[in-house]
Amino acid sequence: MPPPIPSGNEFEIIIIDDGSPDGTQEIAQQLIKIYGSDKILLRPRAKKLGLGTAYIHGMKHATGNFIIIMDADLSHHPKFIPKFIRTQKESNFDIVSGTRYKGNGGVHGWDLKRKLISRGANFLTQVLLRPGASDLTGSFRLYRKEVLQKLMEKCVSKGYVFQMEMIVRARQLGYSIGEVPISFVDRVYGESKLGGNEIVSFLKGLLTLFATT
């Protein structure tokens, strides 16, 4: 069902699917029949074209002033959305970012090795980039639409580093960032791969950001 949006807020749910074989589009079509095409917008693409281009594709179809980006596999639970909205309104933030590393935030479903890698990566980013935000690699965030558009024009990174650069560039441009503690739950179906290639790519991207920001 659509996420619990506080009353008085108009919303639309835009689903970007890059040809995934997990039945996302079929489920989206069922939701459209139930809630209507004005609330559920399915905007598929033929193949994987990258996270950044998915953001741009989604923005083209967004009609609101604010955009919340989250994973559709419920790794990001929609129950946190009302807190994102309240936090933005209370302090008029440009960005509200979900954090696994603050307050009662956390991660469920990862083994000890994955947790240590994640904590170590986050520690390195804090030391080298000093971003003023506690979780740089998460993607559960609320943006003002015009802020997201500006950041997309500035960011050049790919993969895990893309999310980091979004926050670093936001600080450079003087945008305000609030945080909401969230619980991240690893996907039940499919795999979340984090191998040697991903780690090397992350370190290269981190050093590039350190040298250029």
Side-chain angles (χ1 to χ4, degrees):
M1 61 179 294
I5 306 296
S7 60
N9 293 276
E10 293 294 327
F11 71 94
E12 61 200 357
I13 299 174
I14 302 173
I15 301 171
I16 309 299
D17 180 72
D18 283 359
S20 62
D22 60 5
T24 295
Q25 293 190 40
E26 289 76 10
I27 294 173
Q29 293 289 358
Q30 294 175 26
L31 292 173
I32 290 171
K33 291 179 181 178
I34 297 171
Y35 298 104
S37 58
D38 59 326
K39 292 297 184 187
I40 310 293
L41 287 73
L42 175 60
R43 298 295 182 263
R45 303 192 297 176
K47 60 181 180 179
K48 286 185 177 295
L49 299 171
L51 185 60
T53 61
Y55 280 23
I56 294 171
H57 187 62
M59 280 193 296
K60 290 179 181 177
H61 302 284
T63 60
N65 296 321
F66 293 90
I67 295 175
I68 293 177
I69 296 175
M70 60 188 296
D71 293 346
D73 60 4
L74 293 184
S75 293
H76 300 142
H77 201 290
K79 69 181 181 181
F80 295 108
I81 290 177
K83 184 64 181 297
F84 276 67
I85 295 173
R86 286 196 301 271
T87 299
Q88 191 285 322
K89 287 183 175 180
E90 287 168 0
S91 300
N92 199 30
F93 287 118
D94 296 308
I95 301 168
V96 178
S97 182
T99 176
R100 298 161 291 178
Y101 305 118
K102 192 175 181 181
N104 59 352
V107 175
H108 303 279
W110 282 359
D111 58 21
L112 180 60
K113 177 183 176 182
R114 182 72 183 269
K115 288 181 178 179
L116 289 175
I117 291 174
S118 178
R119 285 284 184 177
N122 196 62
F123 176 76
L124 278 176
T125 61
Q126 297 297 327
V127 171
L128 293 178
L129 303 180
R130 301 187 181 277
S134 62
D135 190 343
L136 266 69
T137 56
S139 59
F140 195 178
R141 294 173 184 165
L142 177 153
Y143 296 88
R144 291 186 190 274
K145 185 178 181 180
E146 66 270 20
V147 169
L148 181 57
Q149 290 172 325
K150 187 68 174 180
L151 291 174
M152 291 305 305
E153 294 171 2
K154 296 288 185 180
C155 291
V156 297
S157 302
K158 299 182 184 299
Y160 294 102
V161 183
F162 173 77
Q163 301 293 358
M164 294 165 45
E165 186 178 3
M166 292 283 279
I167 293 295
V168 172
R169 299 296 179 193
R171 284 297 187 195
Q172 278 189 326
L173 295 170
Y175 294 130
S176 57
I177 304 172
E179 292 189 305
V180 169
I182 63 165
S183 297
F184 176 90
V185 181
D186 199 17
R187 64 178 62 184
V188 176
Y189 301 103
E191 296 182 359
S192 297
K193 295 182 178 179
L194 182 63
N197 290 337
E198 287 79 12
I199 293 173
V200 170
S201 177
F202 167 82
L203 291 173
K204 286 181 178 178
L206 176 60
L207 292 175
T208 298
L209 283 179
F210 175 68
T212 59
T213 59

